[in-house]
Amino acid sequence: MAEQKNPLTTPSPNADTTIVPPGSPHTHTEQPSGGHGGAFPPFESHTFLSQLIWLALAFGLLYYLMSKVALPRIEAILGERSNRLSSDLGEAQRMKTEADAAGAAYEQSLREAQAKAQGIAQDTRNALSAEADAKRKALEAELNQRLAASDATLRARTTEAMGNVRSIAGETASAIVERLTGQAPDQATLNRALDAMPATH
Amino acid sequence: MAVSIDPIHQFELQPLVSLGHIGNQQLAFTQSALYMFAAVGIIALLTIVATSGRAVVPGRLQALAETLYEFIADTVHQATGADGKRFLPLVFSLFMFVLILNLLGMIPYAFAVTSHLIVTFGLALVVILTVVIYGVAKHGTHFLGVFVPSGVPKPLLLIMVPIEIVSFLSRPISLSVRLFANILAGHIALKIFAFFVVQLLVAGAWGVLSPLPLALTIALTALEFLVAALQAYVFATLTAVYLADALHPGH
């Protein structure tokens, strides 16, 4: 075993010369312990301590950097982003609610205005029709009054005319009787004859 | 030419700075260590520099970092429940470390750190030690409930408890060997098939067959990218599952 030979044959001051052996014709000088070219590098146990030390240093440094700097920072970034997202979503939700409320209020006032406008239109229509009704009624009353007045006049004239008919008939009858008999009938007989006549209308 | 033929050559550690010996252990800053720190740098770039703006609307890199975070956070949450969040940095670090090292290994001529068993075993050891230490500290002897499946008749426990113990002890081994073997085998297979192309091309008339291993190499490359990501995910998921035991020892 070449690596066991090293500490025995070469004391530590000469360590460098064992790493790159000067005369090893069949290998290419990278064999750390020299002499045996057929060794399988991962199983060369004389390199283990060195590798473990460097591994511990490198991995220790990595662990320190990750646990103290990198991961807290990334976690903070992710936390801040999710906070930001949820607060932004909340804000958007709030704004949407406000917009909905404003929309509802607008609808409401629109409905009220429509109702008001309809009310005004209805009132105006009612007032106008009432006024027209009143005028029409007044006109009708006046017309009825005039009609009644002219009716009364007509009736008075008719009565008057009918009264005249009796005296005319009496005079005519007395004249006819005088011409026929040569003697005028007395007024009483004439009245009796006139009364016997049926009323002619 | 001898170097490129050898499919094992790519796994050799090349010391950049030698630091001497302790016993028979050779200490050196190798390219493996360089890749580890490069991975740490890349991860820091991705998760720290890219998020430095703390933008509410993320850019591409920040979105990638956030996606990775949420992915691992979901995995940990599903496996361990709400109180597993304390282990998120560990699982996230393991996932990113393994993922970036695997992906760095996919760059041509680059070195795959996770193809070394001792590295993956070291990572698995971190997981298991965390499970045991946290489990014992939090639950005391009650942590031994891990080995006693609930709802099993008493006589069966004679068989079940040893099985559970063996299963528990084999976790770090299976965790580390799975990752190591996948990456190692993938890289060896890629190297071998890619070298078939070259061998066929220099073999005269056989050269007409060279598109076959080339197509296979391309397909394998795609597969290796899948394996690189999948093994990182498997490592992280199993870590989360094992950590769930530390949080809730009674099955």
Side-chain angles (χ1 to χ4, degrees), chain A residues 15 19 28 31-32 41 45-46 49-51 54 66 71 73 75 77 81, chain B residues 3 8 11-13 18 24-26 28 47-48 51 56 66 85 116 119:
Chain A
I19 289 163
H28 281 258
Q31 293 295 335
S45 59
H46 63 91
L49 181 63
S50 176
Q51 291 203 63
W54 293 119
M66 293 299 108
L71 296 186
R73 182 186 291 174
E75 194 180 355
I77 291 171
R81 182 175 309 145
Chain B
V3 170
I8 303 300
F11 303 115
E12 278 171 13
L13 289 172
S18 266
N24 68 345
Q25 290 292 321
Q26 183 176 26
T47 59
I48 295 175
T51 60
V56 173
E66 287 172 8
K85 199 160 178 285
H116 275 249
V119 174

PDB file of all heavy atoms in Angstrom, chain A residues 15 19 28 31-32 41 45-46 49-51 54 66 71 73 75 77 81, chain B residues 3 8 11-13 18 24-26 28 47-48 51 56 66 85 116 119:
ATOM      1  N   ALA A  15       6.867  16.626   2.015  1.00  0.00           N
ATOM      2  CA  ALA A  15       5.517  16.263   1.580  1.00  0.00           C
ATOM      3  C   ALA A  15       5.271  16.615   0.122  1.00  0.00           C
ATOM      4  O   ALA A  15       4.632  15.872  -0.603  1.00  0.00           O
ATOM      5  CB  ALA A  15       4.480  16.978   2.444  1.00  0.00           C
ATOM      6  N   ILE A  19       3.625  14.359  -3.604  1.00  0.00           N
ATOM      7  CA  ILE A  19       2.391  14.637  -4.332  1.00  0.00           C
ATOM      8  C   ILE A  19       2.631  14.553  -5.842  1.00  0.00           C
ATOM      9  O   ILE A  19       1.849  13.982  -6.583  1.00  0.00           O
ATOM     10  CB  ILE A  19       1.859  16.019  -3.941  1.00  0.00           C
ATOM     11  CG1 ILE A  19       1.324  15.938  -2.509  1.00  0.00           C
ATOM     12  CG2 ILE A  19       0.773  16.463  -4.882  1.00  0.00           C
ATOM     13  CD1 ILE A  19       1.160  17.278  -1.880  1.00  0.00           C
ATOM     14  N   HIS A  28       0.403  10.026 -15.325  1.00  0.00           N
ATOM     15  CA  HIS A  28       0.577  11.408 -15.747  1.00  0.00           C
ATOM     16  C   HIS A  28       0.691  12.367 -14.588  1.00  0.00           C
ATOM     17  O   HIS A  28       0.105  13.457 -14.608  1.00  0.00           O
ATOM     18  CB  HIS A  28      -0.560  11.809 -16.685  1.00  0.00           C
ATOM     19  CG  HIS A  28      -0.324  11.275 -18.060  1.00  0.00           C
ATOM     20  ND1 HIS A  28       0.147  12.052 -19.081  1.00  0.00           N
ATOM     21  CD2 HIS A  28      -0.461  10.026 -18.554  1.00  0.00           C
ATOM     22  CE1 HIS A  28       0.274  11.315 -20.163  1.00  0.00           C
ATOM     23  NE2 HIS A  28      -0.103  10.073 -19.873  1.00  0.00           N
ATOM     24  N   GLN A  31      -1.330  11.275  -9.842  1.00  0.00           N
ATOM     25  CA  GLN A  31      -1.560  10.344  -8.740  1.00  0.00           C
ATOM     26  C   GLN A  31      -0.959  10.934  -7.488  1.00  0.00           C
ATOM     27  O   GLN A  31       0.248  11.089  -7.379  1.00  0.00           O
ATOM     28  CB  GLN A  31      -0.900   8.991  -9.052  1.00  0.00           C
ATOM     29  CG  GLN A  31      -1.542   8.256 -10.202  1.00  0.00           C
ATOM     30  CD  GLN A  31      -2.974   7.847  -9.895  1.00  0.00           C
ATOM     31  OE1 GLN A  31      -3.331   7.703  -8.741  1.00  0.00           O
ATOM     32  NE2 GLN A  31      -3.781   7.683 -10.925  1.00  0.00           N
ATOM     33  N   PRO A  32      -1.796  11.304  -6.510  1.00  0.00           N
ATOM     34  CA  PRO A  32      -1.280  12.067  -5.375  1.00  0.00           C
ATOM     35  C   PRO A  32      -0.241  11.309  -4.584  1.00  0.00           C
ATOM     36  O   PRO A  32       0.719  11.892  -4.128  1.00  0.00           O
ATOM     37  CB  PRO A  32      -2.536  12.312  -4.524  1.00  0.00           C
ATOM     38  CG  PRO A  32      -3.690  12.094  -5.459  1.00  0.00           C
ATOM     39  CD  PRO A  32      -3.225  11.083  -6.445  1.00  0.00           C
ATOM     40  N   PRO A  41      -9.633   6.539  -7.651  1.00  0.00           N
ATOM     41  CA  PRO A  41      -9.528   7.789  -6.869  1.00  0.00           C
ATOM     42  C   PRO A  41     -10.550   7.933  -5.747  1.00  0.00           C
ATOM     43  O   PRO A  41     -10.181   8.329  -4.642  1.00  0.00           O
ATOM     44  CB  PRO A  41      -9.697   8.868  -7.934  1.00  0.00           C
ATOM     45  CG  PRO A  41      -9.243   8.240  -9.188  1.00  0.00           C
ATOM     46  CD  PRO A  41      -9.617   6.784  -9.085  1.00  0.00           C
ATOM     47  N   SER A  45      -8.011   6.353   0.396  1.00  0.00           N
ATOM     48  CA  SER A  45      -8.422   6.830   1.725  1.00  0.00           C
ATOM     49  C   SER A  45      -7.518   7.946   2.245  1.00  0.00           C
ATOM     50  O   SER A  45      -7.913   8.674   3.144  1.00  0.00           O
ATOM     51  CB  SER A  45      -8.430   5.660   2.707  1.00  0.00           C
ATOM     52  OG  SER A  45      -7.129   5.102   2.756  1.00  0.00           O
ATOM     53  N   HIS A  46      -6.341   8.118   1.691  1.00  0.00           N
ATOM     54  CA  HIS A  46      -5.469   9.172   2.232  1.00  0.00           C
ATOM     55  C   HIS A  46      -5.943  10.567   1.859  1.00  0.00           C
ATOM     56  O   HIS A  46      -5.433  11.560   2.362  1.00  0.00           O
ATOM     57  CB  HIS A  46      -4.023   8.967   1.762  1.00  0.00           C
ATOM     58  CG  HIS A  46      -3.874   9.070   0.274  1.00  0.00           C
ATOM     59  ND1 HIS A  46      -3.597  10.251  -0.345  1.00  0.00           N
ATOM     60  CD2 HIS A  46      -4.004   8.136  -0.700  1.00  0.00           C
ATOM     61  CE1 HIS A  46      -3.546  10.041  -1.651  1.00  0.00           C
ATOM     62  NE2 HIS A  46      -3.795   8.766  -1.884  1.00  0.00           N
ATOM     63  N   LEU A  49      -9.531  12.772   4.767  1.00  0.00           N
ATOM     64  CA  LEU A  49      -9.546  13.818   5.798  1.00  0.00           C
ATOM     65  C   LEU A  49      -9.572  15.192   5.146  1.00  0.00           C
ATOM     66  O   LEU A  49     -10.361  16.062   5.519  1.00  0.00           O
ATOM     67  CB  LEU A  49      -8.320  13.660   6.709  1.00  0.00           C
ATOM     68  CG  LEU A  49      -8.250  14.694   7.836  1.00  0.00           C
ATOM     69  CD1 LEU A  49      -9.440  14.533   8.771  1.00  0.00           C
ATOM     70  CD2 LEU A  49      -6.941  14.572   8.610  1.00  0.00           C
ATOM     71  N   SER A  50      -8.709  15.357   4.147  1.00  0.00           N
ATOM     72  CA  SER A  50      -8.635  16.640   3.450  1.00  0.00           C
ATOM     73  C   SER A  50      -9.976  16.998   2.834  1.00  0.00           C
ATOM     74  O   SER A  50     -10.495  18.107   2.976  1.00  0.00           O
ATOM     75  CB  SER A  50      -7.548  16.554   2.374  1.00  0.00           C
ATOM     76  OG  SER A  50      -7.526  17.731   1.635  1.00  0.00           O
ATOM     77  N   GLN A  51     -10.604  16.014   2.168  1.00  0.00           N
ATOM     78  CA  GLN A  51     -11.891  16.284   1.524  1.00  0.00           C
ATOM     79  C   GLN A  51     -12.961  16.636   2.542  1.00  0.00           C
ATOM     80  O   GLN A  51     -13.783  17.534   2.320  1.00  0.00           O
ATOM     81  CB  GLN A  51     -12.336  15.053   0.726  1.00  0.00           C
ATOM     82  CG  GLN A  51     -11.472  14.813  -0.490  1.00  0.00           C
ATOM     83  CD  GLN A  51     -12.226  14.003  -1.523  1.00  0.00           C
ATOM     84  OE1 GLN A  51     -13.224  14.447  -2.035  1.00  0.00           O
ATOM     85  NE2 GLN A  51     -11.744  12.811  -1.803  1.00  0.00           N
ATOM     86  N   TRP A  54     -12.463  20.224   3.791  1.00  0.00           N
ATOM     87  CA  TRP A  54     -12.938  21.231   2.836  1.00  0.00           C
ATOM     88  C   TRP A  54     -14.451  21.201   2.703  1.00  0.00           C
ATOM     89  O   TRP A  54     -15.107  22.245   2.574  1.00  0.00           O
ATOM     90  CB  TRP A  54     -12.284  21.034   1.461  1.00  0.00           C
ATOM     91  CG  TRP A  54     -10.810  21.324   1.499  1.00  0.00           C
ATOM     92  CD1 TRP A  54      -9.803  20.461   1.218  1.00  0.00           C
ATOM     93  CD2 TRP A  54     -10.195  22.564   1.849  1.00  0.00           C
ATOM     94  NE1 TRP A  54      -8.592  21.069   1.384  1.00  0.00           N
ATOM     95  CE2 TRP A  54      -8.800  22.356   1.773  1.00  0.00           C
ATOM     96  CE3 TRP A  54     -10.667  23.811   2.241  1.00  0.00           C
ATOM     97  CZ2 TRP A  54      -7.890  23.370   2.060  1.00  0.00           C
ATOM     98  CZ3 TRP A  54      -9.768  24.815   2.526  1.00  0.00           C
ATOM     99  CH2 TRP A  54      -8.390  24.589   2.436  1.00  0.00           C
ATOM    100  N   MET A  66     -27.096  30.534   3.863  1.00  0.00           N
ATOM    101  CA  MET A  66     -28.496  30.236   3.566  1.00  0.00           C
ATOM    102  C   MET A  66     -29.389  30.561   4.763  1.00  0.00           C
ATOM    103  O   MET A  66     -30.421  31.198   4.634  1.00  0.00           O
ATOM    104  CB  MET A  66     -28.668  28.756   3.193  1.00  0.00           C
ATOM    105  CG  MET A  66     -28.018  28.350   1.883  1.00  0.00           C
ATOM    106  SD  MET A  66     -28.676  29.242   0.473  1.00  0.00           S
ATOM    107  CE  MET A  66     -27.308  30.316   0.101  1.00  0.00           C
ATOM    108  N   LEU A  71     -32.314  32.594   2.968  1.00  0.00           N
ATOM    109  CA  LEU A  71     -33.676  32.109   3.169  1.00  0.00           C
ATOM    110  C   LEU A  71     -34.569  33.116   3.897  1.00  0.00           C
ATOM    111  O   LEU A  71     -35.705  33.323   3.477  1.00  0.00           O
ATOM    112  CB  LEU A  71     -33.643  30.760   3.900  1.00  0.00           C
ATOM    113  CG  LEU A  71     -32.955  29.649   3.091  1.00  0.00           C
ATOM    114  CD1 LEU A  71     -33.072  28.320   3.786  1.00  0.00           C
ATOM    115  CD2 LEU A  71     -33.535  29.569   1.691  1.00  0.00           C
ATOM    116  N   ARG A  73     -34.379  36.239   3.701  1.00  0.00           N
ATOM    117  CA  ARG A  73     -34.682  37.299   2.741  1.00  0.00           C
ATOM    118  C   ARG A  73     -35.754  36.835   1.753  1.00  0.00           C
ATOM    119  O   ARG A  73     -36.729  37.546   1.508  1.00  0.00           O
ATOM    120  CB  ARG A  73     -33.418  37.703   1.989  1.00  0.00           C
ATOM    121  CG  ARG A  73     -33.678  38.840   1.021  1.00  0.00           C
ATOM    122  CD  ARG A  73     -32.472  39.143   0.182  1.00  0.00           C
ATOM    123  NE  ARG A  73     -31.388  39.719   0.955  1.00  0.00           N
ATOM    124  CZ  ARG A  73     -30.188  39.951   0.447  1.00  0.00           C
ATOM    125  NH1 ARG A  73     -29.937  39.628  -0.810  1.00  0.00           N
ATOM    126  NH2 ARG A  73     -29.246  40.484   1.179  1.00  0.00           N
ATOM    127  N   GLU A  75     -37.910  34.477   2.148  1.00  0.00           N
ATOM    128  CA  GLU A  75     -39.170  34.320   2.862  1.00  0.00           C
ATOM    129  C   GLU A  75     -39.849  35.680   3.045  1.00  0.00           C
ATOM    130  O   GLU A  75     -41.064  35.807   2.875  1.00  0.00           O
ATOM    131  CB  GLU A  75     -38.891  33.676   4.226  1.00  0.00           C
ATOM    132  CG  GLU A  75     -40.140  33.165   4.892  1.00  0.00           C
ATOM    133  CD  GLU A  75     -39.840  32.526   6.231  1.00  0.00           C
ATOM    134  OE1 GLU A  75     -38.654  32.408   6.564  1.00  0.00           O
ATOM    135  OE2 GLU A  75     -40.795  32.175   6.926  1.00  0.00           O
ATOM    136  N   ILE A  77     -39.460  38.293   1.161  1.00  0.00           N
ATOM    137  CA  ILE A  77     -39.964  38.759  -0.143  1.00  0.00           C
ATOM    138  C   ILE A  77     -41.311  38.107  -0.448  1.00  0.00           C
ATOM    139  O   ILE A  77     -42.280  38.772  -0.818  1.00  0.00           O
ATOM    140  CB  ILE A  77     -38.939  38.434  -1.252  1.00  0.00           C
ATOM    141  CG1 ILE A  77     -37.685  39.294  -1.093  1.00  0.00           C
ATOM    142  CG2 ILE A  77     -39.554  38.658  -2.625  1.00  0.00           C
ATOM    143  CD1 ILE A  77     -36.557  38.895  -2.009  1.00  0.00           C
ATOM    144  N   ARG A  81     -44.939  39.859  -0.673  1.00  0.00           N
ATOM    145  CA  ARG A  81     -45.737  39.797  -1.908  1.00  0.00           C
ATOM    146  C   ARG A  81     -47.151  39.292  -1.616  1.00  0.00           C
ATOM    147  O   ARG A  81     -48.117  39.847  -2.118  1.00  0.00           O
ATOM    148  CB  ARG A  81     -45.062  38.880  -2.931  1.00  0.00           C
ATOM    149  CG  ARG A  81     -45.845  38.827  -4.228  1.00  0.00           C
ATOM    150  CD  ARG A  81     -45.129  38.037  -5.280  1.00  0.00           C
ATOM    151  NE  ARG A  81     -43.754  38.496  -5.413  1.00  0.00           N
ATOM    152  CZ  ARG A  81     -42.749  37.695  -5.690  1.00  0.00           C
ATOM    153  NH1 ARG A  81     -42.946  36.423  -5.873  1.00  0.00           N
ATOM    154  NH2 ARG A  81     -41.531  38.179  -5.798  1.00  0.00           N
TER     155      ARG A  81
ATOM    156  N   VAL B   3      -4.190   9.479 -21.258  1.00  0.00           N
ATOM    157  CA  VAL B   3      -5.048  10.113 -20.257  1.00  0.00           C
ATOM    158  C   VAL B   3      -6.511  10.019 -20.669  1.00  0.00           C
ATOM    159  O   VAL B   3      -7.379   9.660 -19.892  1.00  0.00           O
ATOM    160  CB  VAL B   3      -4.634  11.583 -20.075  1.00  0.00           C
ATOM    161  CG1 VAL B   3      -5.664  12.312 -19.234  1.00  0.00           C
ATOM    162  CG2 VAL B   3      -3.268  11.659 -19.450  1.00  0.00           C
ATOM    163  N   ILE B   8     -11.299   6.532 -15.607  1.00  0.00           N
ATOM    164  CA  ILE B   8     -11.206   6.823 -14.177  1.00  0.00           C
ATOM    165  C   ILE B   8     -10.430   8.115 -13.938  1.00  0.00           C
ATOM    166  O   ILE B   8     -10.590   8.774 -12.918  1.00  0.00           O
ATOM    167  CB  ILE B   8     -10.513   5.640 -13.451  1.00  0.00           C
ATOM    168  CG1 ILE B   8     -11.278   4.351 -13.720  1.00  0.00           C
ATOM    169  CG2 ILE B   8     -10.417   5.884 -11.957  1.00  0.00           C
ATOM    170  CD1 ILE B   8     -12.700   4.373 -13.261  1.00  0.00           C
ATOM    171  N   PHE B  11     -11.671  11.337 -12.261  1.00  0.00           N
ATOM    172  CA  PHE B  11     -12.035  11.428 -10.846  1.00  0.00           C
ATOM    173  C   PHE B  11     -10.841  11.695  -9.950  1.00  0.00           C
ATOM    174  O   PHE B  11     -10.990  11.775  -8.739  1.00  0.00           O
ATOM    175  CB  PHE B  11     -12.729  10.134 -10.401  1.00  0.00           C
ATOM    176  CG  PHE B  11     -13.939   9.814 -11.223  1.00  0.00           C
ATOM    177  CD1 PHE B  11     -13.982   8.678 -12.022  1.00  0.00           C
ATOM    178  CD2 PHE B  11     -15.021  10.679 -11.219  1.00  0.00           C
ATOM    179  CE1 PHE B  11     -15.092   8.395 -12.779  1.00  0.00           C
ATOM    180  CE2 PHE B  11     -16.140  10.397 -11.982  1.00  0.00           C
ATOM    181  CZ  PHE B  11     -16.173   9.259 -12.768  1.00  0.00           C
ATOM    182  N   GLU B  12      -9.652  11.792 -10.536  1.00  0.00           N
ATOM    183  CA  GLU B  12      -8.471  11.992  -9.706  1.00  0.00           C
ATOM    184  C   GLU B  12      -8.450  13.382  -9.101  1.00  0.00           C
ATOM    185  O   GLU B  12      -8.796  14.363  -9.750  1.00  0.00           O
ATOM    186  CB  GLU B  12      -7.204  11.775 -10.541  1.00  0.00           C
ATOM    187  CG  GLU B  12      -6.858  10.309 -10.672  1.00  0.00           C
ATOM    188  CD  GLU B  12      -5.755  10.099 -11.677  1.00  0.00           C
ATOM    189  OE1 GLU B  12      -5.116  11.092 -12.063  1.00  0.00           O
ATOM    190  OE2 GLU B  12      -5.562   8.938 -12.077  1.00  0.00           O
ATOM    191  N   LEU B  13      -8.042  13.432  -7.830  1.00  0.00           N
ATOM    192  CA  LEU B  13      -7.903  14.716  -7.158  1.00  0.00           C
ATOM    193  C   LEU B  13      -6.579  15.331  -7.549  1.00  0.00           C
ATOM    194  O   LEU B  13      -5.548  14.667  -7.546  1.00  0.00           O
ATOM    195  CB  LEU B  13      -7.953  14.512  -5.641  1.00  0.00           C
ATOM    196  CG  LEU B  13      -9.317  14.143  -5.083  1.00  0.00           C
ATOM    197  CD1 LEU B  13      -9.180  13.771  -3.625  1.00  0.00           C
ATOM    198  CD2 LEU B  13     -10.284  15.286  -5.256  1.00  0.00           C
ATOM    199  N   SER B  18      -0.525  22.256  -1.744  1.00  0.00           N
ATOM    200  CA  SER B  18      -0.280  21.180  -0.791  1.00  0.00           C
ATOM    201  C   SER B  18      -0.056  21.736   0.597  1.00  0.00           C
ATOM    202  O   SER B  18       0.599  22.767   0.776  1.00  0.00           O
ATOM    203  CB  SER B  18       0.961  20.378  -1.210  1.00  0.00           C
ATOM    204  OG  SER B  18       0.555  19.278  -1.978  1.00  0.00           O
ATOM    205  N   ASN B  24      -1.133   9.349   7.777  1.00  0.00           N
ATOM    206  CA  ASN B  24      -1.056   8.979   6.365  1.00  0.00           C
ATOM    207  C   ASN B  24      -1.995   9.843   5.524  1.00  0.00           C
ATOM    208  O   ASN B  24      -2.198   9.585   4.356  1.00  0.00           O
ATOM    209  CB  ASN B  24      -1.382   7.491   6.192  1.00  0.00           C
ATOM    210  CG  ASN B  24      -2.826   7.191   6.501  1.00  0.00           C
ATOM    211  OD1 ASN B  24      -3.513   8.013   7.096  1.00  0.00           O
ATOM    212  ND2 ASN B  24      -3.274   6.024   6.090  1.00  0.00           N
ATOM    213  N   GLN B  25      -2.613  10.842   6.177  1.00  0.00           N
ATOM    214  CA  GLN B  25      -3.556  11.689   5.438  1.00  0.00           C
ATOM    215  C   GLN B  25      -2.823  12.827   4.760  1.00  0.00           C
ATOM    216  O   GLN B  25      -2.005  13.522   5.359  1.00  0.00           O
ATOM    217  CB  GLN B  25      -4.611  12.264   6.402  1.00  0.00           C
ATOM    218  CG  GLN B  25      -5.571  11.221   6.913  1.00  0.00           C
ATOM    219  CD  GLN B  25      -6.481  10.695   5.821  1.00  0.00           C
ATOM    220  OE1 GLN B  25      -6.938  11.457   4.973  1.00  0.00           O
ATOM    221  NE2 GLN B  25      -6.724   9.393   5.811  1.00  0.00           N
ATOM    222  N   GLN B  26      -3.135  12.983   3.486  1.00  0.00           N
ATOM    223  CA  GLN B  26      -2.487  14.032   2.698  1.00  0.00           C
ATOM    224  C   GLN B  26      -3.404  15.247   2.654  1.00  0.00           C
ATOM    225  O   GLN B  26      -4.560  15.144   2.223  1.00  0.00           O
ATOM    226  CB  GLN B  26      -2.260  13.504   1.290  1.00  0.00           C
ATOM    227  CG  GLN B  26      -1.533  14.484   0.418  1.00  0.00           C
ATOM    228  CD  GLN B  26      -1.263  13.859  -0.930  1.00  0.00           C
ATOM    229  OE1 GLN B  26      -1.980  12.973  -1.362  1.00  0.00           O
ATOM    230  NE2 GLN B  26      -0.226  14.326  -1.589  1.00  0.00           N
ATOM    231  N   ALA B  28      -4.423  18.866   1.241  1.00  0.00           N
ATOM    232  CA  ALA B  28      -4.153  19.735   0.099  1.00  0.00           C
ATOM    233  C   ALA B  28      -5.438  20.432  -0.301  1.00  0.00           C
ATOM    234  O   ALA B  28      -6.535  19.919  -0.092  1.00  0.00           O
ATOM    235  CB  ALA B  28      -3.617  18.925  -1.084  1.00  0.00           C
ATOM    236  N   THR B  47     -28.973  33.077  -4.725  1.00  0.00           N
ATOM    237  CA  THR B  47     -29.981  33.288  -3.679  1.00  0.00           C
ATOM    238  C   THR B  47     -29.787  34.585  -2.911  1.00  0.00           C
ATOM    239  O   THR B  47     -30.716  35.033  -2.251  1.00  0.00           O
ATOM    240  CB  THR B  47     -29.963  32.131  -2.659  1.00  0.00           C
ATOM    241  OG1 THR B  47     -28.654  32.068  -2.095  1.00  0.00           O
ATOM    242  CG2 THR B  47     -30.295  30.819  -3.322  1.00  0.00           C
ATOM    243  N   ILE B  48     -28.602  35.172  -2.973  1.00  0.00           N
ATOM    244  CA  ILE B  48     -28.380  36.391  -2.185  1.00  0.00           C
ATOM    245  C   ILE B  48     -28.248  37.603  -3.085  1.00  0.00           C
ATOM    246  O   ILE B  48     -28.965  38.589  -2.932  1.00  0.00           O
ATOM    247  CB  ILE B  48     -27.134  36.239  -1.284  1.00  0.00           C
ATOM    248  CG1 ILE B  48     -27.381  35.135  -0.249  1.00  0.00           C
ATOM    249  CG2 ILE B  48     -26.818  37.545  -0.592  1.00  0.00           C
ATOM    250  CD1 ILE B  48     -26.199  34.817   0.607  1.00  0.00           C
ATOM    251  N   THR B  51     -31.411  38.289  -5.126  1.00  0.00           N
ATOM    252  CA  THR B  51     -32.589  38.754  -4.392  1.00  0.00           C
ATOM    253  C   THR B  51     -32.319  40.059  -3.668  1.00  0.00           C
ATOM    254  O   THR B  51     -33.145  40.510  -2.878  1.00  0.00           O
ATOM    255  CB  THR B  51     -33.024  37.705  -3.345  1.00  0.00           C
ATOM    256  OG1 THR B  51     -31.933  37.501  -2.442  1.00  0.00           O
ATOM    257  CG2 THR B  51     -33.389  36.390  -3.988  1.00  0.00           C
ATOM    258  N   VAL B  56     -40.761  43.222  -5.614  1.00  0.00           N
ATOM    259  CA  VAL B  56     -42.075  42.580  -5.481  1.00  0.00           C
ATOM    260  C   VAL B  56     -42.410  41.829  -6.771  1.00  0.00           C
ATOM    261  O   VAL B  56     -42.956  40.733  -6.749  1.00  0.00           O
ATOM    262  CB  VAL B  56     -43.144  43.634  -5.159  1.00  0.00           C
ATOM    263  CG1 VAL B  56     -44.524  42.996  -5.195  1.00  0.00           C
ATOM    264  CG2 VAL B  56     -42.891  44.237  -3.798  1.00  0.00           C
ATOM    265  N   GLU B  66     -36.727  32.088  -5.884  1.00  0.00           N
ATOM    266  CA  GLU B  66     -38.003  31.920  -5.180  1.00  0.00           C
ATOM    267  C   GLU B  66     -38.613  30.562  -5.498  1.00  0.00           C
ATOM    268  O   GLU B  66     -39.165  29.891  -4.617  1.00  0.00           O
ATOM    269  CB  GLU B  66     -38.975  33.031  -5.584  1.00  0.00           C
ATOM    270  CG  GLU B  66     -38.609  34.379  -4.988  1.00  0.00           C
ATOM    271  CD  GLU B  66     -39.470  35.484  -5.556  1.00  0.00           C
ATOM    272  OE1 GLU B  66     -40.431  35.164  -6.283  1.00  0.00           O
ATOM    273  OE2 GLU B  66     -39.182  36.652  -5.267  1.00  0.00           O
ATOM    274  N   LYS B  85     -40.069  23.294   9.717  1.00  0.00           N
ATOM    275  CA  LYS B  85     -39.554  24.477   9.030  1.00  0.00           C
ATOM    276  C   LYS B  85     -38.154  24.848   9.514  1.00  0.00           C
ATOM    277  O   LYS B  85     -37.376  25.432   8.774  1.00  0.00           O
ATOM    278  CB  LYS B  85     -40.515  25.645   9.252  1.00  0.00           C
ATOM    279  CG  LYS B  85     -40.349  26.756   8.260  1.00  0.00           C
ATOM    280  CD  LYS B  85     -41.583  27.624   8.194  1.00  0.00           C
ATOM    281  CE  LYS B  85     -41.370  28.766   7.224  1.00  0.00           C
ATOM    282  NZ  LYS B  85     -40.500  29.813   7.755  1.00  0.00           N
ATOM    283  N   HIS B 116     -17.181  11.447  -5.466  1.00  0.00           N
ATOM    284  CA  HIS B 116     -16.329  10.914  -4.413  1.00  0.00           C
ATOM    285  C   HIS B 116     -17.179  10.517  -3.225  1.00  0.00           C
ATOM    286  O   HIS B 116     -17.908  11.329  -2.657  1.00  0.00           O
ATOM    287  CB  HIS B 116     -15.272  11.951  -3.997  1.00  0.00           C
ATOM    288  CG  HIS B 116     -14.068  11.899  -4.890  1.00  0.00           C
ATOM    289  ND1 HIS B 116     -12.845  11.463  -4.471  1.00  0.00           N
ATOM    290  CD2 HIS B 116     -13.934  12.191  -6.201  1.00  0.00           C
ATOM    291  CE1 HIS B 116     -11.977  11.498  -5.476  1.00  0.00           C
ATOM    292  NE2 HIS B 116     -12.627  11.941  -6.535  1.00  0.00           N
ATOM    293  N   VAL B 119     -17.271  12.475   0.083  1.00  0.00           N
ATOM    294  CA  VAL B 119     -18.026  13.744   0.106  1.00  0.00           C
ATOM    295  C   VAL B 119     -19.502  13.466   0.356  1.00  0.00           C
ATOM    296  O   VAL B 119     -20.137  14.075   1.235  1.00  0.00           O
ATOM    297  CB  VAL B 119     -17.833  14.506  -1.220  1.00  0.00           C
ATOM    298  CG1 VAL B 119     -18.724  15.729  -1.257  1.00  0.00           C
ATOM    299  CG2 VAL B 119     -16.377  14.895  -1.380  1.00  0.00           C
TER     300      VAL B 119
END
